């Protein structure tokens, strides 16, 4: 037998919950902790193992909870600490685990630390954040653009200095160089572990160490510079994570996943290498940039090529094999819906078929799958006619900067937003076809996708042909054979623009996964070699023509 490095979090499937939009239990239009509790049976039946909750801490909600004003309290909108304790107990009683979002690159500007820090230059908490003098002309200390548009620096009248905010103004960056900040963060993490949580997803964790504060290369529009080189993978990031591991993580049987902008497989092996004592795995962004979705986000054109998806995934699959561990995701609260992006929504048949195919393609690779709420129903992007109904701070700020300062047309911006905006995955979950999709009895905090009467959980749970039922079967299949977890990956047909085919091999067992990404029949002669092997799953109920794939067909064989 081959030696793999077994771990429960490698065998687990994660389900991501965006609490604000999952289920409202008290009619105020906002999803909440008790709402999540109501749905634990649904999640258990689906076959997931771990729930990841987007931030549920006290927050003024400039960025929907990613701006935390109290790390040890629950957001009033979501409930109380007693509700949290009850939820955690219930999650565990269901045999599930729960991981929290850890947002410690920055806090809210309403956090008591920041309120003190900005109160005077000699306040003991001044050094909790990153304060710099104005440039000689009085302007910002450097040319960096915030991830949410505009300068990354905000001038504070009272003390005559600027503070750094790589995200919104209400999200000042914490100064990790200050050992007291690290003490505070590690204490807070221990507080949650002592409550019994099972791990953390670490927000923009590759940004906690800054290399310097020089101007960055000018962005294409010439307005600002890019901070990426100086703010990701900084000189002390591994030291900080190893310290975190020593002081916190190593004391618990937990799982960790870092959100790592700007990593490649080699860097991932530093963050999540088997012998590194840092994190268990990272979220990579290369796949999310295959269509320019990261680097050219607000440009109207986003074509992608299957061969590029294959190149990226294959580099990660082979680059981490035996050394580190992959996380597998198609979408999350920062990305649009996968079936709209890489599948096909031109008609119901294509939507259902391609949603299933995409699940087969990614979730049978080596790594831990992350399913985003509603993905298991094949939920789609929503169409936005204008910026008005959009809540997301990133999309709104970019809209004003691009259309008012850069002279981009509204039509071009809305085209991009309709493709890539974070808003698409933040509309409420579709539970049934009653008013507001059963999400709330009140007025939803954000408008729903109007297609909920067609696409909803109630309709799909009992339907054996639904996307939901297929996800259930697929997750059960993944669990039934360790080759899906630990097997080595090898790409077939690297130059094919229509078919994604790969094998997984462990000891003397081999599995073949073949997916047709097109809406037409495609010849696939390699299937002939597998004709007499065991068909494990398919998204069609009847056999097709030998050596050929039907539209969006996905098949998996074992020999
Ligand atoms: C991460 C989160 C995103 C948030 C940002 C700032 O990228 O996923 O939602 O806006 O960090 O915290
Ligand atoms: Ca509520």
């Amino acid at each position: 037998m081959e030696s793999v490095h077994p771990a429960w979090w490698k065998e687990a499937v994660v389900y991501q919950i965006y609490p604000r939009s999952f289920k409202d239990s008290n009619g105020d239009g906002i999803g909440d902790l008790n709402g999540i509790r109501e749905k634990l049976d649904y999640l258990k039946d689906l076959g997931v193992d771990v729930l990841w909750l987007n931030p549920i801490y006290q927050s003024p909600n400039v960025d929907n909870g990613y701006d935390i004003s109290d790390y040890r309290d629950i957001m009033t909108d979501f409930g109380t600490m007693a509700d949290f304790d009850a939820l955690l107990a219930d999650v565990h009683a269901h045999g599930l685990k729960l991981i929290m979002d850890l947002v410690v690159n920055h806090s809210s500007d309403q956090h008591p630390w920041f309120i003190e820090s900005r109160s005077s230059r000699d306040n003991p908490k001044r050094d909790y954040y990153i304060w710099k003098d104005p440039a000689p002309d009085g302007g910002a200390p450097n040319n960096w653009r915030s991830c949410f548009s505009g300068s990354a620096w905000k001038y504070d009248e009272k003390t005559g200095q600027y503070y750094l905010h790589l995200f919104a103004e209400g999200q000042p960056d914490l100064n990790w160089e200050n050992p007291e900040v690290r003490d505070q963060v590690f204490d807070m993490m221990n507080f949650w572990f002592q409550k019994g949580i099972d791990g953390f997803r670490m927000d923009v964790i590759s940004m906690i160490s800054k290399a310097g504060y020089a101007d960055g290369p000018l962005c294409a529009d010439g307005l600002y510079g890019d901070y990426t080189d100086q703010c990701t993978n900084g000189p002390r990031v591994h030291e900080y994570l190893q310290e975190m591991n020593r002081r916190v993580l190593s004391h618990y049987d937990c799982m960790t996943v870092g959100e790592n902008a700007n990593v490649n497989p080699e860097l991932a092996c530093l963050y999540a290498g088997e012998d590194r004592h840092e994190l268990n795995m990272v979220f990579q962004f290369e796949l999310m940039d295959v269509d320019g979705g990261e680097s050219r986000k607000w440009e109207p054109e986003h074509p992608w090529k299957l061969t590029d998806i294959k190149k990226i995934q294959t580099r990660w699959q082979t680059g981490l094999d035996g050394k580190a561990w992959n996380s597998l995701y198609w979408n999350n609260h920062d990305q649009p819906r996968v079936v709209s992006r890489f599948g096909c929504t031109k008609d119901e048949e294509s939507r259902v078929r391609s949603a299933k195919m995409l699940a087969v393609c990614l979730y049978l690779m080596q790594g831990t799958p992350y399913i985003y709420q509603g993905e298991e129903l094949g939920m789609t992007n929503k169409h936005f006619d204008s910026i008005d109904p959009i809540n997301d701070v990133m999309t709104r700020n970019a809209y004003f900067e691009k259309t008012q300062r850069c002279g981009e047309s509204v039509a071009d911006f809305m085209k991009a937003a309709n493709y890539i905006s974070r808003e698409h995955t933040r509309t409420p979950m579709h539970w049934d076809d009653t008013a507001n999709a059963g999400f709330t009895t009140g007025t939803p905090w954000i408008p729903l996708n109007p297609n909920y009467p067609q696409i909803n959980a109630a309709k799909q749970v009992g339907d054996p042909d639904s996307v939901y039922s297929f996800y259930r079967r697929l997750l059960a299949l993944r669990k039934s054979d360790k080759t899906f977890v630990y097997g080595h990956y090898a790409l077939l047909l690297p130059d094919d623009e229509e078919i994604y085919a790969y094998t997984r091999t462990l000891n003397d067992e081999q599995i073949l996964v073949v997916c047709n990404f097109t809406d037409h029949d495609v010849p696939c002669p390699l299937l002939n070699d597998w004709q007499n092997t065991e068909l494990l799953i398919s998204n069609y109920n009847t056999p097709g023509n030998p050596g050929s794939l039907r539209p969006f067909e996905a098949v998996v064989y074992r020999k």
Side-chain angles (χ1 to χ4, degrees):
M1 286 292 280
E2 259 188 84
S3 82
V4 290
H5 308 281
W8 65 262
W9 43 265
K10 293 182 178 174
E11 301 180 16
V13 173
V14 181
Y15 186 93
Q16 182 189 348
I17 294 179
Y18 197 68
R20 230 182 160 67
S21 296
F22 191 61
K23 177 73 176 87
D24 174 23
S25 71
N26 62 354
D28 67 357
I30 301 175
D32 47 49
L33 300 186
N34 286 330
I36 299 171
R37 272 179 87 190
E38 288 172 21
K39 296 298 180 184
L40 293 178
D41 289 341
Y42 169 87
L43 297 168
K44 183 71 187 170
D45 285 349
L46 177 59
V48 300
D49 309 286
V50 177
L51 309 180
W52 152 30
L53 306 186
N54 286 101
I56 57 170
Y57 314 91
Q58 200 61 264
S59 163
N61 277 312
V62 166
D63 185 21
N64 288 349
Y66 281 94
D67 48 320
I68 296 170
S69 53
D70 186 346
Y71 288 96
R72 296 175 192 234
D73 198 6
I74 300 296
M75 193 190 298
T76 315
D77 287 342
F78 292 168
T80 62
M81 192 57 93
D83 295 336
F84 175 80
D85 293 339
L87 171 64
L88 183 60
D90 242 14
V91 166
H92 287 158
H94 278 76
L96 300 167
K97 294 184 190 284
L98 187 128
I99 67 175
M100 305 268 284
D101 221 305
L102 181 77
V103 189
V104 289
N105 173 69
H106 43 267
S107 72
S108 162
D109 65 349
Q110 303 303 308
H111 194 290
W113 298 336
F114 189 74
I115 294 173
E116 279 193 52
S117 181
R118 79 186 324 173
S119 66
S120 75
R121 285 202 192 196
D122 52 15
N123 183 279
K125 298 237 168 20
R126 184 67 170 179
D127 215 22
Y128 269 46
Y129 295 87
I130 299 169
W131 292 97
K132 300 278 176 212
D133 287 331
D137 67 355
N142 68 29
N143 70 356
W144 293 353
R145 164 178 264 138
S146 142
C147 188
F148 293 163
S149 304
S151 169
W153 298 93
K154 169 86 177 163
Y155 186 65
D156 200 56
E157 293 285 344
K158 182 153 185 221
T159 56
Q161 285 190 312
Y162 284 82
Y163 70 84
L164 178 68
H165 60 90
L166 294 181
F167 295 89
E169 279 177 22
Q171 294 169 299
D173 280 53
L174 282 160
N175 176 18
W176 274 69
E177 308 247 337
N178 181 347
E180 237 181 273
V181 167
R182 305 203 294 279
D183 289 347
Q184 294 271 18
V185 169
F186 301 154
D187 280 358
M188 175 272 284
M189 293 174 73
N190 278 317
F191 165 86
W192 288 101
F193 276 122
Q194 273 149 28
K195 281 194 165 282
I197 68 157
D198 301 290
F200 281 112
R201 172 269 187 190
M202 301 188 188
D203 193 60
V204 294
I205 203 71
S206 56
M207 296 185 171
I208 57 177
S209 164
K210 275 77 173 169
Y213 297 91
D215 280 351
L218 269 196
C219 302
D221 58 22
L223 287 181
Y224 296 99
D226 183 357
Y227 63 62
T228 310
D229 290 345
Q230 288 167 90
C231 295
T232 57
N233 311 313
R236 298 185 68 184
V237 68
H238 297 293
E239 174 199 328
Y240 296 154
L241 290 175
Q242 283 168 17
E243 184 183 351
M244 179 194 283
N245 190 292
R246 206 169 50 241
R247 294 178 56 185
V248 185
L249 304 174
S250 59
H251 301 276
Y252 308 96
D253 178 21
C254 63
M255 74 170 270
T256 52
V257 52
E259 187 205 22
N260 285 38
N262 199 25
V263 283
N264 55 30
E266 294 68 44
L267 283 168
C269 288
L270 297 182
Y271 284 105
E274 295 283 351
D275 50 3
R276 292 278 302 170
H277 306 291
E278 295 188 23
L279 305 175
N280 293 149
M281 59 189 124
V282 302
F283 290 129
Q284 52 117 331
F285 281 78
E286 292 187 339
L287 180 60
M288 295 296 117
D289 200 30
V290 69
D291 52 1
E294 291 296 313
S295 55
R296 290 176 283 110
K297 208 179 188 88
W298 304 115
E299 290 176 22
E301 301 305 328
H302 289 87
W304 53 268
K305 276 168 58 187
L306 184 60
T307 46
D308 289 336
I309 293 184
K310 294 199 272 194
K311 258 183 230 146
I312 292 168
Q313 289 306 92
T314 302
R315 201 160 59 230
W316 280 84
Q317 288 287 301
T318 53
L320 268 51
D321 191 12
K323 297 185 198 145
W325 193 249
N326 269 292
S327 58
L328 307 170
Y329 73 98
W330 274 131
N331 45 202
N332 58 36
H333 65 293
D334 293 331
Q335 300 291 338
R337 293 275 175 193
V338 61
V339 69
S340 300
R341 187 175 186 177
F342 298 120
C344 177
T345 55
K346 67 176 178 181
D347 52 46
E348 185 60 4
E349 161 96 20
S350 306
R351 179 187 70 82
V352 171
R353 203 78 78 187
S354 65
K356 296 173 181 175
M357 180 277 288
L358 289 164
V360 170
C361 182
L362 188 66
Y363 300 140
L364 298 184
M365 290 184 192
Q366 191 188 74
T368 299
Y370 287 76
I371 296 168
Y372 182 77
Q373 68 184 43
E375 179 189 328
E376 76 281 17
L377 307 175
M379 277 178 67
T380 63
N381 283 354
K382 181 181 169 180
H383 184 79
F384 301 102
D385 292 324
S386 78
I387 193 72
D388 300 340
I390 295 184
N391 166 279
D392 166 37
V393 60
M394 175 194 256
T395 311
R396 292 191 72 82
N397 289 1
Y399 175 87
F400 293 110
E401 188 165 280
K402 296 290 172 207
T403 62
Q404 294 176 4
R405 291 188 64 192
C406 303
E408 200 175 290
S409 78
V410 167
D412 275 357
F413 186 89
M414 290 313 298
K415 191 169 177 208
N418 273 308
Y419 182 81
I420 204 75
S421 172
R422 312 198 295 183
E423 197 81 348
H424 295 295
T425 39
R426 298 179 178 193
T427 64
M429 175 75 175
H430 297 177
W431 293 108
D432 57 40
D433 63 5
T434 64
N436 295 318
F439 162 68
T440 181
T441 54
T443 306
W445 73 278
I446 189 176
L448 281 99
N449 190 317
N451 65 11
Y452 71 82
Q454 292 80 50
I455 304 173
N456 64 67
K459 198 167 160 188
Q460 295 196 22
V461 168
D463 172 3
D465 290 325
S466 67
V467 179
Y468 172 90
S469 298
F470 190 82
Y471 263 72
R472 226 174 144 229
R473 276 166 57 211
L474 185 72
L475 299 186
L477 173 65
R478 190 180 181 281
K479 218 152 264 175
S480 70
D481 186 338
K482 293 272 191 286
T483 304
F484 286 119
V485 180
Y486 298 109
H488 308 291
Y489 161 107
L491 181 70
L492 307 173
L493 313 177
D495 301 320
D496 194 302
E497 287 294 356
E498 300 182 308
I499 299 172
Y500 197 143
Y502 63 90
T503 56
R504 301 290 308 281
T505 309
L506 190 67
N507 302 313
D508 46 14
E509 183 176 292
Q510 191 165 57
I511 286 169
L512 173 75
V513 177
V514 180
C515 296
N516 176 5
F517 271 69
T518 78
D519 62 357
H520 49 264
D521 288 349
V522 176
C524 185
L526 79 85
L527 286 175
N528 293 327
D529 305 338
W530 291 75
Q531 248 174 27
N532 299 318
T533 62
E534 185 189 0
L535 176 64
L536 296 177
I537 198 166
S538 155
N539 60 351
Y540 279 78
N541 292 333
T542 54
N545 289 327
S548 168
L549 290 166
R550 288 162 286 181
F552 303 112
E553 183 162 6
V555 285
V556 181
Y557 291 95
R558 173 166 57 199
K559 71 176 170 199

